[in-house]
């Protein structure tokens, strides 16, 4: 197992390198970089894409004739533009900038945000608790509900209970997370019906003045709707996965033999079937957490005005804040690769009979 883990860890390096090469190359061809954003603000245009939306050509919006590199920079001193390029590091060739970025990232030095004057690592650490809150609670709730429900559906396969719960699950899976989030806001957060939950934020303004129990209650009061919105799709998937896994095990010969020996249904189900059926479900916990953590955080955080990593990445992409964009891609890619390895280790932990090294030989 040690050799397998070592190989997987070594594969992280070329995979991360490929991710960074692709994203760095793409940014070289995307118009509206940080310098263009600053020039647009100085000229009072608000956004560099405003001229394009009005019918202008992308190339004409950023490339002028003659010696002008930025069309929007006409009228601004060339020394000012050169100083901006030096400040952002654009006075160096792309290859040199990329190699410098790799060297810094290898030492986990992500630099500073272009527009926030704060180190990127501090920004990520500041926003991470919000995204972890959504990912962790959504995953835990999905498992606590989906596993018992999936087992019940497998035991009563084909019954009326199985039919109507399957209909409800499919309906929940078909509803996009953002649409469900808007529905929750309209119904329960002061839209057109009830005002039971807050409209935005993770805590109240007077959170610091509350007692310990008051802080706990306020925290759960605020996260209820965002967690429900981010749970719905994973809840449906996990329930059906649990049901199908148990159905496959229930039909196997060892279950029939156990029942023939006179064991009760509960003893067979939880003494023999459970461990084998739950292998894929339990081992998939890390990957599911990361999926909720990364996948739905942008939309959910934006709708509920939560200041997390998803919203940070979205704002950085709009503002062309390249240090934040590249650093979050690097960190997320690294976490995703490590979680993939953790998922394999979870398989071995749940069922020691699995040997990845023997499979590769």
């Amino acid at each position: 197992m040690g050799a397998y883990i070592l190989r997987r860890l070594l594969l992280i390096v070329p995979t991360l390198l490929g991710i960074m090469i692709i994203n760095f190359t793409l940014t070289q061809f995307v118009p509206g970089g940080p310098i263009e954003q600053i020039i647009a603000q100085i000229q009072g245009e608000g956004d560099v894409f405003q001229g394009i939306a009005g019918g202008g050509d992308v190339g004409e919006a950023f490339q002028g004739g003659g010696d002008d590199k930025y069309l929007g920079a006409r009228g601004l001193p060339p020394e000012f533009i050169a100083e901006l390029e030096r400040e952002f590091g654009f006075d160096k060739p792309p290859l040199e900038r990329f190699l410098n970025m790799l060297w810094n990232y290898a030492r986990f030095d992500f630099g500073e945000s272009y527009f926030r004057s704060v180190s990127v690592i501090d920004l990520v650490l500041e926003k991470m608790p919000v995204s972890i809150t959504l990912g962790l609670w959504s995953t835990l709730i999905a498992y606590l509900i989906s596993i018992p429900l999936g087992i019940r559906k497998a035991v009563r396969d084909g019954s009326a209970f199985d039919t109507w719960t399957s209909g409800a699950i499919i309906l929940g899976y078909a509803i996009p997370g953002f649409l469900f989030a808007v529905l929750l806001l309209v119904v329960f957060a002061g839209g057109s019906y009830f005002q039971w939950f807050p409209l935005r934020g993770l805590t109240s303004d007077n959170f610091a003045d509350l007692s310990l129990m008051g802080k706990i209650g306020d925290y759960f009061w605020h996260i209820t709707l965002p967690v429900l919105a981010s749970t719905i799709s994973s809840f449906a998937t996990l329930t059906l996965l649990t049901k199908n896994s148990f159905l496959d095990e229930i039909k196997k010969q060892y279950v029939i033999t156990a029942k023939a020996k006179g064991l009760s249904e509960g003893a067979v189900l939880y003494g023999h079937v459970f461990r084998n059926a739950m292998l894929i479900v339990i081992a998939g916990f890390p990957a599911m957490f990361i999926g909720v953590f990364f996948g739905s955080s942008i939309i959910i955080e934006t709708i509920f005005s939560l200041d997390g990593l998803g919203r940070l990445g979205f704002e950085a992409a709009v503002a062309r804040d390249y240090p934040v964009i590249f650093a979050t891609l690097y960190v997320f890619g690294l976490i995703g690769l490590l979680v993939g390895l953790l998922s394999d280790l979870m398989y071995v932990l749940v069922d020691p009979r699995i040997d990845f090294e023997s499979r590769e030989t």
Side-chain angles (χ1 to χ4, degrees):
M1 192 64 186
Y4 173 78
I5 295 175
L6 180 60
R7 284 195 297 270
R8 288 291 299 271
L9 291 175
L10 292 176
L11 282 174
I12 290 177
V13 177
T15 305
L16 278 179
L17 180 61
I19 292 173
M20 300 311 297
I21 289 176
I22 292 173
N23 287 282
F24 184 86
T25 303
L26 289 176
T27 58
Q28 306 308 304
F29 301 99
V30 176
I35 294 181
E36 288 90 344
Q37 296 285 346
I38 292 178
I39 291 173
Q41 293 178 9
I42 292 175
Q43 298 291 356
E45 298 175 9
D47 191 349
V48 73
F49 293 102
Q50 191 174 31
I52 300 175
D57 181 72
V58 173
E60 294 178 355
F62 302 111
Q63 300 294 333
D67 297 330
D68 290 332
K69 184 177 181 181
Y70 309 104
L71 182 61
R74 292 178 179 177
L76 295 176
E79 296 81 7
F80 174 74
I81 303 300
E83 180 61 29
L84 281 179
E85 290 183 341
R86 283 193 297 270
E87 182 177 348
F88 291 128
F90 294 134
D91 57 330
K92 301 175 182 178
L95 180 59
E96 182 178 351
R97 287 189 280 121
F98 179 71
L99 294 177
N100 289 336
M101 182 183 69
L102 288 183
W103 170 245
N104 292 331
Y105 282 15
R107 298 177 289 128
F108 288 92
D109 178 10
F110 302 117
E112 288 191 357
S113 168
Y114 283 160
F115 304 109
R116 299 174 186 252
S117 298
V118 180
S119 68
V120 174
I121 192 66
D122 288 341
L123 274 175
V124 171
L125 293 177
E126 178 186 348
K127 313 298 183 184
M128 187 171 289
V130 175
S131 297
I132 289 179
T133 291
L134 287 179
L136 185 60
W137 283 113
S138 298
T139 306
L140 287 177
I141 291 176
Y143 268 79
L144 289 175
I145 297 177
S146 298
I147 291 177
L149 179 59
I151 296 174
R152 186 66 173 172
K153 285 174 62 63
V155 173
R156 302 184 60 180
D157 182 42
S159 65
F161 172 81
D162 180 45
T163 301
W164 74 261
T165 52
S166 294
I169 289 171
I170 293 174
L171 177 63
Y173 185 76
I175 299 177
F178 74 91
L179 183 60
F180 188 60
V182 173
L183 178 64
L184 290 176
L185 285 178
V186 171
V187 176
F188 299 110
S192 303
Y193 299 95
F194 309 103
Q195 195 169 0
W196 293 348
F197 296 95
L199 186 61
R200 60 176 58 87
L202 196 61
T203 56
S204 300
D205 295 334
N206 63 337
F207 183 78
D209 300 329
L210 299 175
S211 63
L212 177 60
M213 294 304 299
K215 290 180 178 179
I216 295 175
D218 183 76
Y219 168 75
F220 283 105
W221 184 44
H222 279 77
I223 70 170
T224 297
L225 296 186
V227 168
L228 284 177
S230 59
T231 301
I232 183 169
S233 60
S234 57
F235 159 76
T237 303
L238 185 59
T239 301
L240 295 178
L241 177 64
T242 303
K243 176 192 173 182
N244 293 331
S245 180
F246 269 80
L247 280 178
D248 289 340
E249 292 296 323
I250 289 174
K251 297 176 182 178
K252 291 184 177 179
Q253 184 62 43
Y254 74 91
V255 177
I256 299 175
T257 303
K259 290 181 178 179
K261 291 181 178 180
L263 295 179
S264 64
E265 181 178 355
V268 173
L269 189 63
Y270 295 101
H272 294 76
V273 176
F274 187 83
R275 179 172 180 175
N276 295 328
M278 290 301 297
L279 173 62
I280 189 173
V281 178
I282 296 177
F285 180 89
M288 182 176 178
F289 168 72
I290 292 298
V292 176
F293 182 74
F294 293 153
S296 61
S297 60
I298 296 178
I299 298 176
I300 300 301
E301 289 173 11
T302 302
I303 292 176
F304 289 97
S305 300
L306 300 175
D307 200 10
L309 288 176
R311 192 175 179 184
L312 173 66
F314 172 75
E315 293 175 350
V318 172
R320 301 299 193 270
D321 198 344
Y322 292 152
V324 177
I325 295 174
F326 290 139
T328 50
L329 285 172
Y330 179 85
V331 173
F332 288 174
L334 179 60
I335 292 176
L337 292 170
L338 292 176
V339 165
L341 175 59
L342 181 60
S343 295
D344 290 345
L345 297 180
M346 288 287 289
Y347 277 106
V348 178
L349 180 63
V350 175
D351 190 350
R353 296 172 298 176
I354 295 178
D355 186 358
F356 288 103
E357 291 186 2
S358 63
R359 286 187 172 188
E360 294 183 357
T361 58

